[in-house]
Amino acid sequence: MVRHPHGRKVDHRHRAVQASDDALRVLRLLLEMHGPVVLYLPAGSDGFTPMCVRRSEFRPGDGDVLAGQTAWHTQLWMADPFHVGLDDLDVKIEVRNRAPQARESASLEAMCGFRFTLRIENADSAAELVEEAS
């Protein structure tokens, strides 16, 4: 069982965190460059653009939740209020190209000209669409 750094049990609220093929390639590059990394959706963000930091430098707060894990044991953490209602959502990590002047971010992938984004979908709606199509 993974434990929160403050000693309390980590709340695993999310069913699945997937990553696109492009995001997996960027994650692999970052792992080779920096070692283990964590994706973190901080409270002051837009809700779709996580920060990528070295695992050794990540310090989750009391309200942060481990939303899931993806390739190579890369964890996705979310701050309040983003983790509320995760049971009804599917999260996919994607990557997009960033313009050279937009590489000022502290997120590790920005140095390589990329930025991770989250695509969040309602799992129940997706299941209903599959049922209707069949």
Side-chain angles (χ1 to χ4, degrees), residues 77-99:
W77 285 79
M78 292 184 178
D80 283 330
F82 300 120
H83 61 78
V84 175
L86 283 179
D87 291 339
D88 298 327
L89 303 174
D90 281 330
V91 176
K92 184 170 186 178
I93 301 165
E94 297 181 342
V95 70
R96 62 180 180 207
N97 291 329
R98 297 291 292 184

Side-chain angles (χ1 to χ4, degrees), residues 20-107:
S20 70
D21 290 342
D22 289 338
L24 290 174
R25 283 190 276 280
V26 173
L27 273 174
R28 177 50 117 186
L29 174 67
L30 293 172
L31 289 169
E32 290 172 4
M33 293 170 62
H34 303 285
V37 297
V38 171
L39 297 175
Y40 176 58
L41 194 59
S45 74
D46 61 4
F48 297 98
T49 310
M51 297 291 296
C52 182
V53 297
R54 290 177 183 91
R55 187 181 302 164
S56 62
E57 297 173 358
F58 179 64
R59 304 288 181 262
D62 287 332
D64 294 341
V65 170
L66 177 58
Q69 192 164 280
T70 188
W72 304 289
H73 307 288
T74 301
Q75 297 175 341
L76 172 63
W77 285 79
M78 292 184 178
D80 283 330
F82 300 120
H83 61 78
V84 175
L86 283 179
D87 291 339
D88 298 327
L89 303 174
D90 281 330
V91 176
K92 184 170 186 178
I93 301 165
E94 297 181 342
V95 70
R96 62 180 180 207
N97 291 329
R98 297 291 292 184
Q101 68 271 16
R103 294 183 190 176
E104 313 290 312
S105 172
S107 193

